[in-house]
Amino acid sequence: MPQNRAIVVGGSMAGLCAARVLADFYERVTIIDRDSYPAGAFERAGVPQSRHVHALLARGRRELEGLFRGFDRLMLDRGALECNFGLDFATLRPDGWAPRVGDAIPLLFASRILLEATIRELLCRQFPNIELIERTDVTGLLPGDPVGLRLGGVAIRARGGGGESGLAGDLVVDASGRSSKAPAWFKELGIDPPAETVVDSFSAYGSRWFQAPPLDRRPAGWWWKGIWIDPVEPEFVTGGVLFPVENDRWIITLAGINQHYPPSDEAGFMAALPTLRSPILAEAAKLATPISPVYSNRAMANRWRRYEKWNSRLERFVALGDSACAFNPVYGQGMTSGAISSLILRDTLKKCGPHDPELARKFFTSQAQFQRDPWGMATGADFRFKGTVGNRPLSSRFLAPYFNAMFQTSLEDSRVNRVVGEVVNMLRPPAAFFNPAFVARVMAKSVRRALRPKAPSLKEVPALPPLAASS
């Protein structure tokens, strides 16, 4: 039986998923956001990362359809593209161009703003007990039972009033993302915030949007729908991608590591494209029409607030999504992890009820158990780069050669490639990489590869993917 009110701070993807789950347990669910919500798929000032490429992993696609009936069909109707990464992307890995091999994991490619707008519409249409409060800052927590929030209206402050009001709830969910102010709220109440673990490869994005050229203006051999170019230290510390999105647009993003930040000006950005390992992004950009400035983002560190170890927890406060554990966005885990954390909250509420004083502790424990896997994947990938700072696990030094061998094998072995794709898309846990039969297959293929003639150097790798690629 639903009871009373739950409050969600932040109306992006994790917040919308959390609100959907809470709607089954509380009479009223209030989402508070500092932005106003546009009528349609348009930018919001509070979600600057929406201007960059976003990957909705296969697990995320599945969970969003489960939470919001009709999500998949509505996205496709509104122009989202369904792509098979192995078949539709020209992918330059450290050792060369990946073979064009399809898999059974179709992915949705769309802008972040279309994803959010679609979820928000389905949420408001399907759940009348959810309300949205816009243009409102949460400025602090109010102690007491039920826990409350202090609200500062942006519109009121803009008129010089500076007024604040309070809003009480039986549960407060912080889904405000990387910029969460919760640690400051705790300190204001005299509560020590949770400890943090940070791993930073000093990465950065630079992105620009383009109107894609008509098909008849593209070279006949350009079979690809998207492009992915890995960086390779020390020769190439910048990688790049091209993602197709709705309305026949492209997002081209440059990603630099170890403080090699992509240019933030238009001329510098366009000049940097030909300096990548392949000129294919530069060639694509020449045929397309720029429709935006260059957007930059340097907030890409992995940051885990260890709520599961927090001794000073509030009984009716939980944090999920990027507010609790944020990953380097280059690996595309954020939206999917936020959806899964919301499902963990649902399962916790089912088990113990909305008024169990142990709700927060039980949720944080379960969420942390899930977060270990994507955290290990993201930080393990970042620790490949020499300039990454953070507590480097001793195991990463021993596992790095194995993972290198595994990814190389995946380029030529469909069974290994399938497992890699399923783990990357969160359809299987990383433990699948250590199944004895899987390890034996990787090692056997690696031995055979070592006996072959020496692989080509970076300078010998073809600059462009095979034009006559076949599926």
Side-chain angles (χ1 to χ4, degrees), residues 438-462:
F438 182 83
V439 173
R441 190 174 186 87
V442 170
M443 300 313 295
K445 291 293 183 83
S446 299
V447 170
R448 294 176 191 172
R449 190 166 52 249
L451 297 176
R452 297 175 192 164
K454 185 178 179 181
S457 67
L458 288 177
K459 293 181 179 179
E460 296 171 317
V461 171

Side-chain angles (χ1 to χ4, degrees), residues 38 94 106 111 148 204 248 278 344 355-357 365 423 444:
S111 67
D248 204 23
S278 168
I344 294 171
H355 295 296
D356 186 341
T365 299
V423 172

Side-chain angles (χ1 to χ4, degrees), residues 227-266:
I227 299 168
W228 185 291
I229 300 174
D230 279 337
V232 178
E233 287 187 299
E235 295 93 337
F236 298 97
V237 291
T238 301
V241 299
L242 180 154
F243 277 19
V245 296
E246 69 275 6
N247 300 323
D248 204 23
R249 294 175 296 168
W250 289 342
I251 309 176
I252 295 180
T253 292
L254 296 177
I257 56 175
N258 294 344
Q259 301 186 55
H260 291 86
Y261 301 130
S264 58
D265 63 292
E266 295 173 11

Side-chain angles (χ1 to χ4, degrees), residues 14 63 125 137 158 182 195 204-205 213 231 250 252 302 342 346 350 387 394 466:
E63 302 300 0
R125 184 195 303 172
D137 271 326
Y205 272 165
W250 289 342
I252 295 180
N302 303 279
S342 296
R346 178 196 64 188
K350 283 182 177 179
L394 184 61

Side-chain angles (χ1 to χ4, degrees), residues 106-122:
L107 301 176
L108 278 182
F109 284 84
S111 67
R112 170 69 176 264
I113 56 176
L114 179 61
L115 283 162
E116 274 196 22
T118 301
I119 293 297
R120 191 164 56 242
E121 177 183 328
L122 291 171

Side-chain angles (χ1 to χ4, degrees), residues 6 8 14-26 29 67-68 123 127 129-130 171 173 320 338-350 363:
V8 178
L16 298 174
C17 291
R20 157 65 189 94
V21 164
L22 295 169
D24 291 339
F25 297 90
Y26 295 87
V29 179
L67 285 168
F68 305 95
L123 184 74
F127 302 95
N129 61 330
I130 294 177
L171 181 70
V173 178
L320 52 71
I340 295 172
S341 287
S342 296
L343 295 174
I344 294 171
L345 179 59
R346 178 196 64 188
D347 293 343
T348 308
L349 284 163
K350 283 182 177 179
F363 167 73

